[in-house]
Amino acid sequence: MRARIGTTRFCLEPVTDRDGAIITAVFYGGKILPKKFYQLSREERLQQLVAEGSLAENDADYLAANHVLPSAVAAHLGENQLGQFPLPYGIARTLMVNGVTRNVAMVGEEPSVVAAASNGARMALAGGGVQVAVPEHTVTGEVVFADVADPDAAVALISSREDDIWDAAAYAHPSIIGRGGGLKQVQVQAIGQFVKIRLVIDPQAAMGANMVNTIAEAVAHMVGQWLHQEALLAILSNYTDDPVVATVAIPVAAVATKSLPGSVVAARIAAASAFGFIDEERATTNNKGIMNGIEAATIALGNDYRAVSTAVHAYAAQSGAYQPLTRWTTDGKMLHGQLRVPLQLGVVGGATAALPLAQIAMRLGKIATVADAQAVLAALGLVQNLAALRALVGPGIQSGHMALQAGALAIAAGATGTEIDALTHLLQTTDKTIGRAKELLAQLRADKQSEENDNEDRD
Ligand code: NDP
């Protein structure tokens, strides 16, 4: 297909070069300009990868056919987009947060994560659910100048013109002022030969990264003129030391296992928690368990999970040693748990409006504000941690984990359709290895075949 836009003629068909490689081309003024990979349509990219031997044709067909998002939306959310990557979207049930019961949408490839969250939510319910306090929602921007000849003089100059910084910030993003947000605080400091302007911004219902970057760049440009030098950088910081705090107090009976009374399990949970504060290897895995829930829910909300995880781990290390984000104690009657975690989230902006499943996640979880989202995710992280610790100090995590993992093992062994359920069931009472799964699948198929043969004989 050929098209003309203005004086430019386009050829939209794949064109091959002398070696036969596809160089889908734009004809411009008689010249062939090979299109860059990101400029190709999705179909052209798939065609090119098949042609160059990087992608099998049936894989290309799968990628072409498999889409949930409208193509135009997917093309704008991802660069070099080939397809979409579906993951299960499930919910943790009945998580009571500040007196309101929530269903929390979670996206992930590990079934035990959602199961543990629901289990943790059920235990927390025995204590009236999770109470969460959220901090003021602000994001910090940094404008940094390097190699400043007289840093103290620069700090004095910038501080004396703080009003201009407020004006520049308002001018750069007037709509956020209209919504009641915008710049809230300016701090200027010299750090060696660097000068840093710290801008604390209220992004209202948004996560705020782009908003803060816009304001920071405007301030950088203006201050650069005062200092007669360009800023080194102007961008938000993903760091925050103002955490969301989730707490729970549960009667110990609610954490009893088949073989251990609740008071013993609670004491063992508290001991495991204490060990995390003196052992970074344990602290890291403890926090991974928390992030199992928080990241899965962040993805379901269409939010930036990299921003969330970076901030969380930086916070965990803020004392200089990597520490657990939760602390559990017991007095023998109640088990007390607390999670402190920063959560940079938004309920508008970014990809939230473009992803229908993110909108559904908000409706499922009754999430209307950033504070709602923060409260739900912090509560989820806390109960996720509770379920993991109880399993760890009780029956161990492998029995429950591997029981749920059996489905994935059945698929990996080659089971399809109704075979998956049948094989998953058989794997519950035997070794959960790929070799054993393949043996059982072969047996299942042989049994089915002989049953069919018997039926034919009867007919
Ligand atoms: P956006 O750039 O999408 O800005 C927020 C949008 O929401 C604006 O268009 C704003 O409208 C609109 N809006 C509507 N109602 C409200 C309201 N009540 N309060 C606030 N805004 C409202 O999103 P963010 O600034 O939040 O940036 C988040 C994105 O930035 C994410 O996709 C993230 O991945 C990305 N990012 C992250 C970085 C990091 O973490 N380091 C770095 C750079 C980008 P209006 O324009 O009228 O104000």
Side-chain angles (χ1 to χ4, degrees):
M1 185 173 70
R2 281 159 199 276
R4 179 187 284 275
I5 299 175
T7 55
T8 307
R9 281 174 294 132
F10 292 94
C11 172
L12 303 176
E13 284 135 20
V15 172
T16 51
D17 67 10
R18 265 175 298 178
D19 301 324
I22 291 181
I23 52 157
T24 304
V26 177
F27 288 88
Y28 180 71
K31 285 191 199 145
I32 295 179
L33 303 176
K35 271 200 206 171
K36 295 193 172 111
F37 193 74
Y38 72 86
Q39 293 170 323
L40 302 179
S41 71
R42 186 166 81 100
E43 290 70 24
E44 287 169 338
R45 281 182 212 128
L46 291 170
Q47 236 175 326
Q48 175 163 331
L49 291 173
V50 170
E52 72 186 31
S54 303
L55 188 69
E57 259 183 65
N58 56 343
D59 286 344
D61 291 345
Y62 181 85
L63 284 166
N66 230 285
H67 49 86
V68 181
L69 288 171
S71 298
V73 172
H76 282 93
L77 290 184
E79 187 86 350
N80 284 351
Q81 189 236 348
L82 297 181
Q84 297 174 26
F85 193 111
L87 280 171
Y89 175 93
I91 50 169
R93 302 278 287 150
T94 57
L95 177 62
M96 172 89 83
V97 187
N98 292 340
V100 180
T101 305
R102 322 269 186 162
N103 289 311
V104 190
M106 299 170 77
V107 172
E109 83 300 345
E110 202 182 333
S112 57
V113 169
V114 176
S118 289
N119 189 18
R122 186 186 50 74
M123 288 186 273
L125 215 47
V130 184
Q131 301 303 316
V132 186
V134 300
E136 217 180 314
H137 175 44
T138 56
V139 181
T140 301
E142 293 188 293
V143 178
V144 178
F145 292 87
D147 297 323
V148 179
D150 186 344
D152 291 335
V155 169
L157 171 70
I158 298 166
S159 302
S160 71
R161 298 188 67 176
E162 200 182 299
D163 285 353
D164 293 332
I165 293 179
W166 285 80
D167 289 345
Y171 188 72
H173 216 303
S175 55
I176 195 64
I177 310 279
R179 294 196 166 95
L183 187 60
K184 293 290 160 201
Q185 206 185 333
V186 180
Q187 291 167 326
V188 193
Q189 65 181 125
I191 308 170
Q193 292 308 114
F194 294 97
V195 168
K196 166 172 157 175
I197 307 170
R198 188 165 179 272
L199 306 167
V200 180
I201 291 160
D202 172 358
Q204 292 285 296
M207 178 265 200
N210 287 324
M211 199 175 287
V212 171
N213 291 345
T214 302
I215 294 172
E217 285 187 3
V219 170
H221 179 70
M222 182 182 71
V223 176
Q225 290 176 336
W226 302 346
L227 300 183
H228 307 293
Q229 69 176 95
E230 252 186 58
L232 176 66
L233 54 89
I235 190 168
L236 90 155
S237 166
N238 285 104
Y239 183 74
T240 167
D241 58 4
D242 213 358
V244 181
V245 182
T247 52
V248 76
I250 306 170
V252 291
V255 296
T257 64
K258 276 185 192 150
S259 56
L260 293 173
S263 58
V264 173
V265 176
R268 287 170 64 82
I269 288 175
S273 171
F275 183 62
F277 286 89
I278 53 172
D279 182 76
E280 285 192 347
E281 292 184 331
R282 172 85 277 275
T284 305
T285 316
N286 181 74
N287 292 350
K288 192 275 179 182
I290 295 165
M291 296 310 282
N292 273 341
I294 289 181
E295 290 206 22
T298 303
I299 295 171
L301 288 175
N303 267 245
D304 186 335
Y305 51 92
R306 289 90 52 210
V308 168
S309 66
T310 305
V312 167
H313 297 299
Y315 181 76
Q318 68 165 350
S319 68
Y322 191 85
Q323 296 274 279
L325 296 157
T326 45
R327 188 184 289 276
W328 294 91
T329 56
T330 183
D331 54 13
K333 290 197 174 66
M334 303 292 283
L335 175 66
H336 299 272
Q338 186 182 75
L339 168 73
R340 300 173 73 84
V341 72
L343 289 169
Q344 289 192 331
L345 299 168
V347 291
V348 300
T352 54
L355 297 172
L357 287 175
Q359 293 295 317
I360 293 174
M362 288 188 211
R363 291 193 285 274
L364 268 170
K366 301 174 192 153
I367 291 171
T369 63
V370 171
D372 288 340
Q374 290 173 321
V376 170
L377 267 60
L380 179 69
L382 183 63
V383 300
Q384 193 89 43
N385 184 237
L386 170 63
L389 285 174
R390 176 177 170 274
L392 267 183
V393 303
I397 64 162
Q398 274 313 78
S399 58
H401 189 82
M402 290 312 286
L404 288 165
Q405 208 65 25
L409 195 59
I411 296 166
T416 56
T418 54
E419 290 173 345
I420 299 173
D421 264 356
L423 185 53
T424 303
H425 182 69
L426 291 176
L427 282 166
Q428 298 303 330
T429 51
T430 184
D431 297 346
K432 290 176 190 61
T433 62
I434 191 78
R436 183 74 185 123
K438 283 185 174 165
E439 271 171 33
L440 287 170
L441 180 60
Q443 187 61 51
L444 259 181
R445 286 177 176 167
D447 290 351
K448 189 170 177 218
Q449 189 59 54
S450 83
E451 203 178 303
E452 281 171 6
N453 292 345
D454 287 352
N455 286 343
E456 271 170 30
D457 290 350
R458 250 181 263 129
D459 294 345

mmCIF file of all heavy atoms in Angstrom, residues 28 57 66:
data_model
loop_
_atom_site.group_PDB
_atom_site.id
_atom_site.type_symbol
_atom_site.label_atom_id
_atom_site.label_comp_id
_atom_site.label_asym_id
_atom_site.label_seq_id
_atom_site.Cartn_x
_atom_site.Cartn_y
_atom_site.Cartn_z
ATOM 1 N N TYR A 28 11.022 8.842 0.600
ATOM 2 C CA TYR A 28 10.955 10.277 0.837
ATOM 3 C C TYR A 28 11.852 10.945 -0.199
ATOM 4 O O TYR A 28 13.067 10.736 -0.209
ATOM 5 C CB TYR A 28 11.444 10.601 2.250
ATOM 6 C CG TYR A 28 11.404 12.075 2.557
ATOM 7 C CD1 TYR A 28 10.178 12.725 2.734
ATOM 8 C CD2 TYR A 28 12.563 12.825 2.628
ATOM 9 C CE1 TYR A 28 10.132 14.071 3.001
ATOM 10 C CE2 TYR A 28 12.521 14.175 2.900
ATOM 11 C CZ TYR A 28 11.302 14.798 3.080
ATOM 12 O OH TYR A 28 11.256 16.134 3.344
ATOM 13 N N GLU A 57 6.796 -18.611 13.430
ATOM 14 C CA GLU A 57 5.532 -18.098 12.889
ATOM 15 C C GLU A 57 4.362 -18.332 13.835
ATOM 16 O O GLU A 57 3.495 -17.470 13.979
ATOM 17 C CB GLU A 57 5.244 -18.755 11.537
ATOM 18 C CG GLU A 57 5.609 -17.816 10.397
ATOM 19 C CD GLU A 57 5.290 -18.382 9.037
ATOM 20 O OE1 GLU A 57 4.096 -18.568 8.776
ATOM 21 O OE2 GLU A 57 6.239 -18.624 8.275
ATOM 22 N N ASN A 66 -3.499 -12.482 20.338
ATOM 23 C CA ASN A 66 -3.760 -12.363 21.750
ATOM 24 C C ASN A 66 -3.792 -10.927 22.211
ATOM 25 O O ASN A 66 -2.758 -10.340 22.493
ATOM 26 C CB ASN A 66 -2.642 -13.088 22.488
ATOM 27 C CG ASN A 66 -3.227 -14.013 23.487
ATOM 28 O OD1 ASN A 66 -3.700 -13.565 24.528
ATOM 29 N ND2 ASN A 66 -3.248 -15.289 23.161
#
